[in-house]
Amino acid sequence: AQKITQTQPGMFVQEKEAVTLDCTYDTSDQSYGLFWYKQPSSGEMIFLIYQGSYDEQNATEGRYSLNFQKARKSANLVISASQLGDSAMYFCAMRERGDYKLSFGAGTTVTVRA
Amino acid sequence: EAQVTQNPRYLITVTGKKLTVTCSQNMNHEYMSWYRQDPGLGLRQIYYSMNVEVTDKGDVPEGYKVSRKEKRNFPLILESPSPNQTSLYFCASSPIKTGPNSPLHFGNGTRLTVT
């Protein structure tokens, strides 16, 4: 069964606007971690933000924030004030308790328009 | 600079010709792993290693081998590559001591084409 689901294959956003990337996950563990990575066209994987399952506050890192809704098992990434350099593929990933593997979603391609 | 280094970045080969993709990290990380990325499937784990001489299969290990003779190196070996192994490959590492909230650090990827 798919552990991470990203339902938006591609999105367009206007420069300076905010964009929300959806991510839902499936786990029976109580302790887990959620990660978002960015992959620009050059191909490297860049870590953006982390949310632990026991964290009470939503994680934020600069223009990135994570809208964590534990009961709904969702961990949406919000990018505020989009910039042209935000055009990339974004991956949601989960690490379950006792395992160092990351399970990835299929990714969402974001294109920022000027 | 702390990094994971993969080589080569691009590789074109023919079916059945053995190849090795090297991976080295300079962060003294215990955990190392190989992933392949395919369109629509995200990244899937091939093999992983928790420490020297300790390796185990991930989700898609068929057709691949790995070894971990030194802590810093974790090569990926394709003994007899086939066209369905054409993919983008990533090596990644992570410390174990700092706990499961440590992100994976990725290499820059190796784009492999098998004809």
Side-chain angles (χ1 to χ4, degrees):
Chain A
Q2 194 79 356
K3 290 193 175 183
I4 297 286
T5 303
Q6 294 180 254
T7 56
Q8 306 150 310
M11 301 180 70
F12 290 94
V13 61
Q14 206 63 31
E15 198 177 10
K16 297 179 187 172
E17 291 186 352
V19 61
T20 298
L21 310 184
D22 294 341
C23 172
T24 57
Y25 58 91
D26 182 27
T27 182
S28 55
D29 282 353
Q30 296 302 308
S31 176
Y32 51 88
L34 297 154
F35 300 78
W36 278 91
Y37 282 82
K38 172 184 179 181
Q39 186 180 46
S41 58
S42 50
E44 71 268 30
M45 295 288 286
I46 302 166
F47 165 68
L48 295 178
I49 196 167
Y50 165 82
Q51 178 84 42
S53 58
Y54 291 119
D55 294 342
E56 295 187 352
Q57 304 275 356
N58 284 342
T60 60
E61 288 286 348
R63 294 186 298 110
Y64 304 107
S65 60
L66 206 153
N67 183 1
F68 181 47
Q69 298 188 45
K70 195 169 180 176
R72 292 187 176 186
K73 293 189 175 178
S74 78
N76 298 340
L77 178 71
V78 180
I79 307 173
S80 62
S82 296
Q83 302 171 356
L84 295 177
D86 294 333
S87 293
M89 180 165 277
Y90 290 81
F91 290 97
C92 180
M94 177 175 66
R95 177 181 276 157
E96 294 173 282
R97 191 169 70 96
D99 193 348
Y100 281 83
K101 179 181 86 171
L102 285 184
S103 298
F104 284 84
T108 296
T109 300
V110 172
T111 304
V112 181
R113 289 171 164 157
Chain B
E1 181 191 348
Q3 59 186 2
V4 179
T5 304
Q6 286 178 237
N7 280 297
R9 287 295 308 274
Y10 300 93
L11 181 56
I12 301 173
T13 190
V14 295
T15 300
K17 186 175 180 182
K18 181 179 178 179
L19 66 91
T20 299
V21 184
T22 63
C23 174
S24 181
Q25 52 93 6
N26 62 2
M27 295 169 281
N28 202 34
H29 287 169
E30 296 82 11
Y31 181 85
M32 296 186 75
S33 182
W34 277 101
Y35 285 82
R36 62 178 287 174
Q37 180 183 351
D38 301 290
L41 297 176
L43 282 77
R44 294 176 294 166
Q45 190 184 56
I46 302 170
Y47 267 94
Y48 67 96
S49 169
M50 298 292 285
N51 216 324
V52 176
E53 303 291 0
V54 181
T55 63
D56 211 343
K57 296 177 181 179
D59 298 318
V60 288
E62 294 77 21
Y64 304 95
K65 283 175 57 177
V66 293
S67 69
R68 188 94 181 270
K69 293 185 170 60
E70 305 163 284
K71 196 172 187 179
R72 64 184 292 129
N73 295 325
F74 191 46
L76 179 70
I77 303 152
L78 284 73
E79 294 268 2
S80 182
S82 61
N84 65 11
Q85 293 178 297
T86 292
S87 188
L88 177 59
Y89 290 86
F90 286 100
C91 181
S93 73
S94 179
I96 289 181
K97 296 191 194 82
T98 49
N101 61 341
S102 300
L104 279 180
H105 299 258
F106 284 86
N108 284 336
T110 295
R111 189 166 290 282
L112 172 65
T113 302
V114 183
T115 61

